[in-house]
Amino acid sequence: MKEAKEIREFDTELKALPISSNAKQQGRNRKPIFKGWKDTIVGYIFISPMFIGTSILVIFPILATIFLSFTDWNFITGVGGFNFIGLENFKTLLGDDIFIKSLIHNFILLLVVPIGLLISLTLAVIINNHVYFKDVFKVVYFMPYISSVVAVAIVFQVLFHPTMGPINQLLLSLGVENPPGWIADTNFALISVMVILIWMNIGFQLIIYLAGLQNIPKELYEAAEMDGASAWYKFRKITVPLVSPTTFLLLVTGFISTFKVFDLIVVLTNGGPANSTSVPVFYLYQQAFIELKTGYSSAIALILLVLVLLITFLQWLGQKKWVNY
Amino acid sequence: MTIIMTVGGIVFLLPFIWMVSASFKLEEDVLTFPIQWIPQTWNAIENYSQVWFGDKSFLLYYWNTIKISVLTTLTSVAVSSLAAYAFAKIKFKGRDIVFLIVLATYMIPPQSLLVPQFLMYTWADLFDSHLGLILLNSFSVFGTFMLRQFFLGINDEIIESAKIDGAGHFRTFFHIALPLVSPAIATYAILRFIWTWNDYQYPLIFIRSEELYTLQLGIAQFADAHGSIYSLMMAAAVSAIIPLLIVFIIGQKQVIEGIQLGGVKG
């Protein structure tokens, strides 16, 4: 990083100043100037806004979610109406077709991550080695990532329009007789969402891969070239293994972020048609803020949390098998 | 290869190009096929003035969003940099445990917190207010973590010499540490600004009154009201993206480095 380098340079400049050598001499046989307890107080003052905010807005709500998930409370009954019903909410959820469907959709959405990574890594290698104006390409591929999801969803609503949308008009003109109805078609709605997600995430993954590629020593490629290795061979045997820590990072964060895909679904499809794009976070929102079932939605929230923790843990276990550090 | 990639890049941006071109057209020309990339009849001024000064006032949405994004960015930078400095440069009892707790909260999907947050907000009278919205995005684990990395990069001896000169941690923080990490602060500020600008979920749940709407809520509602007038919807979408694009192009180096360093959104 450039900043870190600047800081280091500044460090050495400061060290060269007479005062700091003076300080060093004193430092050899001095007592600590700040006593431990003083640092402790100052430390807690510094972190208190952050820690109090996080406690009130995250740690306390998570405890409340766990508590509420064992009750049948809803917004309308008011403060008095708590009933403990044990695991009842979770039992109901297991038999709730829409919830099960939403969960399955979320697992299908996980496919977005490896597909996106494959495209991004390919693009990153091409941009890194074979292209002029690298910075321009970075900006181009990054644009969807920084654009507002709401605006993107609105644009794709029109592009994916089953009869008049440009995509299907193009397909018709190319001789496809029955193009899919995309977001209006229960079989294609989830695929449409996935296409948009891949498109939006490529920029992010590409940028991270480009940083990873910079860290691969050039000598490795030079040595392979001397042995007459093909480009494909170099890609498979050098690039892919050496960016595996990056791939791992992107897989974990990518899988977790699919469990947070909310805005796109609300604006693009509102979970429809016929719940074909519902995911747990969307179902949670619906149950909590439209059906007003507080207890039930808290149970969904808890399941979601456990799933995210589980995925992180499994990947942490699995990384030892295939990540080269 | 550059040529192939240029073609690829244009295809990649086609949805945006289509959006901009549609926002300049007469409604009846939007869906004609083959697509007229350059409008035959220009209707840009009419479309945009209807979006900006029509029955839904985009001027108000813009003002609300700018206000919320700027204030959120300022508080978040202040809160995160203070905590980041302490976690990196002050040795105090329980520091590592507290840091671990804060870091662990990063795993939690924000949606699983919405219900209790909503209840607390109604009780604390923060519901349907800009202050409430600003607070929601002000305590960023991402920001703290990212800035901590930069504070760690400052040599301890600088802090030590400041102490010997009689500076307390507050002075050291403001006069020595903060200026040294100012590029990192800029990076985080730009990212936080973009994320707050684009946030849809929190305003959707925590804002009711139309005069408090953010841009994202405004466009979503505009799309509901004018759902079939595509030229106007596209003009609204362009209006939402343009300011961000400007921020991004000005700060692109910072944004890209920040993303690479932090690795994740939060």
Side-chain angles (χ1 to χ4, degrees):
Chain A
M1 297 296 298
K2 190 170 138 272
E3 286 88 350
K5 201 173 144 233
E6 276 170 11
I7 291 167
R8 272 197 301 276
E9 279 164 8
F10 194 80
D11 263 14
T12 26
E13 271 171 42
L14 268 190
K15 265 184 270 173
L17 293 174
I19 179 170
S20 84
S21 62
N22 199 359
K24 256 185 194 161
Q25 273 171 2
Q26 281 181 10
R28 263 180 214 131
N29 45 15
R30 81 191 141 124
K31 285 181 189 166
I33 290 176
F34 281 110
K35 294 235 174 78
W37 63 270
K38 219 173 167 183
D39 269 5
T40 301
I41 293 174
V42 177
Y44 279 101
I45 292 173
F46 269 68
I47 64 164
S48 57
M50 172 73 196
F51 194 63
I52 294 170
T54 312
S55 304
I56 295 176
L57 285 171
V58 181
I59 298 174
F60 174 72
I62 209 71
L63 299 174
T65 298
I66 297 173
F67 170 79
L68 286 170
S69 66
F70 297 108
T71 71
D72 66 350
W73 196 55
N74 66 34
F75 279 133
I76 308 162
T77 48
V79 187
F82 285 106
N83 275 322
F84 269 94
I85 53 167
L87 293 172
E88 206 53 49
N89 283 329
F90 296 94
K91 273 187 209 151
T92 323
L93 273 175
L94 284 181
D96 184 337
D97 286 347
I98 303 177
F99 177 69
I100 301 293
K101 238 175 146 182
S102 308
L103 262 185
I104 294 170
H105 292 156
N106 212 138
F107 282 106
I108 299 173
L109 279 188
L110 293 182
L111 277 176
V112 162
V113 186
I115 298 172
L117 287 183
L118 202 71
I119 302 174
S120 318
L121 180 57
T122 316
L123 286 173
V125 170
I126 296 174
I127 291 179
N128 197 41
N129 297 330
H130 306 288
V131 151
Y132 302 101
F133 315 116
K134 279 180 198 169
D135 287 343
V136 178
F137 283 103
K138 280 189 199 171
V139 174
V140 164
Y141 286 101
F142 211 59
M143 255 186 74
Y145 180 74
I146 57 134
S147 299
S148 104
V149 177
V150 178
V152 165
I154 285 172
V155 172
F156 274 95
Q157 261 179 352
V158 187
L159 292 178
F160 276 141
H161 193 286
T163 49
M164 300 174 297
I167 292 179
N168 271 1
Q169 298 227 38
L170 178 73
L171 288 177
L172 279 171
S173 75
L174 290 176
V176 181
E177 280 184 19
N178 285 308
W182 304 112
I183 56 169
D185 183 334
T186 47
N187 294 321
F188 279 91
L190 196 62
I191 295 176
S192 315
V193 170
M194 291 167 79
V195 170
I196 301 174
L197 280 177
I198 293 173
W199 178 73
M200 289 191 83
N201 285 328
I202 279 180
F204 174 72
Q205 297 163 343
L206 177 86
I207 293 296
I208 309 240
Y209 266 136
L210 280 173
L213 290 177
Q214 308 280 315
N215 291 331
I216 301 180
K218 289 240 166 17
E219 296 79 43
L220 285 177
Y221 291 107
E222 283 159 12
E225 264 159 40
M226 298 239 267
D227 294 343
S230 68
W232 171 239
Y233 186 87
K234 282 185 283 178
F235 179 74
R236 229 160 30 103
K237 295 288 177 183
I238 300 174
T239 313
V240 172
L242 284 176
V243 294
S244 61
T246 310
T247 308
F248 172 69
L249 172 86
L250 287 173
L251 263 185
V252 179
T253 55
F255 281 169
I256 294 174
S257 69
T258 62
F259 280 91
K260 299 178 184 171
V261 176
F262 174 79
D263 307 4
L264 182 65
I265 295 203
V266 176
V267 185
L268 187 75
T269 62
N270 209 20
N275 298 312
S276 60
T277 53
S278 178
V279 287
V281 281
F282 177 75
Y283 193 55
L284 165 96
Y285 159 78
Q286 223 182 16
Q287 292 300 307
F289 296 100
I290 297 167
E291 308 282 328
L292 303 179
K293 293 182 191 161
T294 312
Y296 197 55
S297 67
S298 299
I300 303 173
L302 198 59
I303 293 181
L304 199 66
L305 177 68
V306 171
L307 272 176
V308 168
L309 292 180
L310 203 69
I311 287 185
T312 314
F313 179 68
L314 284 180
Q315 293 196 312
W316 181 75
L317 282 185
Q319 63 163 309
K320 296 194 182 91
K321 290 214 161 76
W322 60 279
V323 179
N324 299 290
Y325 282 105
Chain B
M1 217 51 186
T2 306
I3 295 165
I4 296 173
M5 284 297 285
T6 306
V7 174
I10 291 172
V11 172
F12 193 79
L13 289 185
L14 273 186
F16 286 126
I17 300 170
W18 185 85
M19 166 185 82
V20 173
S21 126
S23 76
F24 293 152
K25 288 179 191 168
L26 280 172
E27 179 60 24
E28 56 263 37
D29 292 342
V30 171
L31 291 174
T32 49
F33 195 83
I35 300 168
Q36 309 160 352
W37 292 103
I38 294 163
Q40 275 183 347
T41 324
W42 284 76
N43 201 39
I45 296 168
E46 290 82 348
N47 287 344
Y48 280 89
S49 63
Q50 203 169 333
V51 166
W52 276 75
F53 309 104
D55 50 344
K56 304 267 177 267
S57 171
F58 265 62
L59 275 177
L60 179 68
Y61 302 153
Y62 257 88
W63 168 241
N64 288 342
T65 312
I66 291 171
K67 181 179 135 193
I68 291 168
S69 304
V70 168
L71 290 177
T72 306
T73 304
L74 290 178
T75 36
S76 183
V77 164
V79 168
S80 291
S81 58
L82 272 174
Y85 175 80
F87 284 131
K89 288 293 166 202
I90 305 178
K91 291 189 182 71
F92 59 94
K93 276 209 182 77
R95 178 178 77 172
D96 297 341
I97 296 168
V98 177
F99 186 63
L100 216 68
I101 295 173
V102 171
L103 212 57
T105 63
Y106 197 43
M107 290 287 144
I108 298 168
Q111 288 90 352
S112 57
L113 307 171
L114 287 175
V115 168
Q117 282 173 343
F118 179 85
L119 295 174
M120 281 171 15
Y121 264 45
T122 4
W123 291 331
D125 214 16
L126 282 169
F127 179 69
D128 201 18
S129 75
H130 282 168
L131 175 65
L133 215 52
I134 292 165
L135 287 179
L136 278 169
N137 273 321
S138 287
F139 308 99
S140 161
V141 179
F142 171 85
T144 308
F145 182 72
M146 179 187 144
L147 294 177
R148 176 177 168 269
Q149 296 297 99
F150 281 98
F151 281 121
L152 282 176
I154 300 177
N155 198 311
D156 274 333
E157 283 178 38
I158 301 180
I159 313 271
E160 292 282 310
S161 9
K163 274 187 198 173
I164 287 152
D165 289 347
H169 274 301
F170 284 98
R171 282 191 59 169
T172 316
F173 171 70
F174 281 112
H175 295 295
I176 296 170
L178 215 49
L180 284 178
V181 298
S182 54
I185 302 262
T187 302
Y188 174 59
I190 295 171
L191 285 173
R192 175 53 56 201
F193 184 87
I194 293 176
W195 291 334
T196 314
W197 184 280
N198 281 337
D199 183 23
Y200 176 65
Q201 182 174 301
Y202 282 139
L204 176 70
I205 286 162
F206 293 97
I207 296 292
R208 279 285 171 282
S209 321
E210 213 180 306
E211 69 270 16
L212 297 180
Y213 269 20
T214 64
L215 194 54
Q216 308 304 330
L217 269 188
I219 320 170
Q221 210 226 21
F222 185 86
D224 281 344
H226 301 259
S228 47
I229 312 178
Y230 296 138
S231 56
L232 293 186
M233 276 165 55
M234 292 311 123
V238 173
S239 307
I241 292 179
I242 291 291
L244 276 194
L245 209 59
I246 296 170
V247 171
F248 172 58
I249 288 171
I250 294 172
Q252 51 135 321
K253 243 188 95 151
Q254 259 87 12
V255 175
I256 287 172
E257 280 180 5
I259 295 270
Q260 284 174 341
L261 186 82
V264 259
K265 176 174 175 172

